Amino acid sequence: MIIVQSLSRNYGDFKAVDEVSFEIKKGEVVGLLGHNGAGKTTIMKMLTGYLEPSSGSIEVDRIPIETDIRRIQSRIGYLPENCPVWPEMTVIDYLEYQAHLHGVKKNAIREAVTTAIRRTALKEKAESVIQTLSRGYRQRVGVAQAILHHPDIIILDEPTNGLDPTQIFQMRELIRDLAQTATVILSTHILQEVQAVCERVLIMREGKLVVDSDIKALQSGQQLRVSVDNAEAKKYLAKVEGVTRVEPLGQEKEISAYLLDCSEEAAPSVAAAVAKAGDKLFRLSPEVRNLETVFAEVNMTGSQAA
């Protein structure tokens, strides 16, 4: 659905985005991660047509963004990082105004606004003046305006910023609901949010894309943890086909733990080797990493750690 090729954005000699390429399929929920200044927001602005690339291309359903930008923008719902709202307007007046800007037909505006208010849990604040709302409620108003016109691409920059735990849970549910009918790109500093709602993650570092992976594959890694009753098991474990390294992790109550560099497919061979040695097998499992660990590895090395 979205194809980005060799996308770059320069500010003088500074490259905010440097030769980034990726594809996003229809219906995917993709997390865009990176430290401040990594290039996330710049990419989002280029995807929405608010910022021109210095080089490279963006296509939506094979339509280059520069050839029909208005048509593509009409399909996008966008929540910027610092959501621009008119503080002197009430929530409902603001959303009605935004519905007009989004091109919602006049006879469909009331229903569109009502639906957006319901989906973002804003009913009790519908008549409130926006400047009286908390930061969390203002954020929800921003999300409401992004989904008014039922876009099939939704780009959310820090959607849970300022929300309390209950509101964060509601936002997760909303994103899952939106994914039923739309492609969702989510940028956030909160790794747990990406882990909770996204299927895939793109990680930026200093303007470059350093990871593009399904979250499950990224977290599974290429290691097995083994526990046996033999402090010398490293000798035969290192000889198992597919095992490239064995790291002893210590011993507790005569049970020795080891970390093996290998794929999960090597597990049966490892179990067979333990049985052949006459040892007792207490544990054999993939070494699972959370997204926080992966993110830290990426930002230390500049590329995905194995």
Side-chain angles (χ1 to χ4, degrees), residues 167-180:
Q167 293 168 339
I168 288 174
F169 176 79
Q170 291 171 341
M171 186 62 69
R172 288 180 183 177
E173 292 301 306
L174 174 59
I175 292 171
R176 292 189 184 103
D177 181 47
L178 294 172
Q180 301 300 313

Side-chain angles (χ1 to χ4, degrees), residues 32-69:
L32 183 59
L33 292 176
H35 287 305
N36 289 335
K40 307 185 303 299
T41 296
T42 302
I43 285 179
M44 288 185 159
K45 287 180 178 179
M46 288 190 285
L47 289 176
T48 54
Y50 290 105
L51 189 64
E52 290 187 5
S54 299
S55 61
S57 64
I58 300 169
E59 293 183 3
V60 177
D61 285 344
R62 301 191 182 280
I63 303 172
I65 194 168
E66 68 272 10
T67 64
D68 202 344
I69 190 169

Side-chain angles (χ1 to χ4, degrees), residues 26-27 119 150-154 176-183:
K26 184 176 182 180
R119 296 179 83 180
H150 304 291
D152 57 1
I153 301 171
I154 300 172
R176 292 189 184 103
D177 181 47
L178 294 172
Q180 301 300 313
T181 56
T183 300

Side-chain angles (χ1 to χ4, degrees), residues 5-57:
Q5 293 184 326
S6 302
L7 193 67
S8 295
R9 174 67 191 191
N10 305 331
Y11 295 95
D13 294 332
F14 174 69
K15 286 193 172 185
V17 175
D18 188 5
E19 294 287 323
V20 169
S21 299
F22 59 83
E23 294 186 20
I24 297 176
K25 297 178 182 178
K26 184 176 182 180
E28 278 194 297
V29 183
V30 178
L32 183 59
L33 292 176
H35 287 305
N36 289 335
K40 307 185 303 299
T41 296
T42 302
I43 285 179
M44 288 185 159
K45 287 180 178 179
M46 288 190 285
L47 289 176
T48 54
Y50 290 105
L51 189 64
E52 290 187 5
S54 299
S55 61
S57 64

Side-chain angles (χ1 to χ4, degrees), residues 190-198 215 219 290-292:
I190 304 174
L191 302 183
Q192 295 90 335
E193 296 308 304
V194 173
Q195 198 158 302
V197 301
C198 296
I215 289 182
Q219 292 176 325
N290 60 28
L291 193 54
E292 184 175 352

Side-chain angles (χ1 to χ4, degrees), residues 185-248:
I185 303 173
L186 166 69
S187 176
T188 178
H189 289 90
I190 304 174
L191 302 183
Q192 295 90 335
E193 296 308 304
V194 173
Q195 198 158 302
V197 301
C198 296
E199 306 159 355
R200 184 168 148 226
V201 64
L202 306 173
I203 301 181
M204 299 289 299
R205 182 176 184 267
E206 296 179 352
K208 294 182 179 293
L209 181 64
V210 293
V211 171
D212 179 353
S213 175
D214 290 338
I215 289 182
K216 288 183 179 179
L218 192 66
Q219 292 176 325
S220 64
Q222 295 290 311
Q223 294 178 316
L224 292 174
R225 185 179 287 262
V226 183
S227 295
V228 297
D229 61 343
N230 184 347
E232 302 296 325
K234 178 179 178 179
K235 295 178 181 178
Y236 66 79
L237 290 174
K239 298 177 181 179
V240 175
E241 185 176 357
V243 175
T244 58
R245 186 175 71 94
V246 179
E247 178 186 350

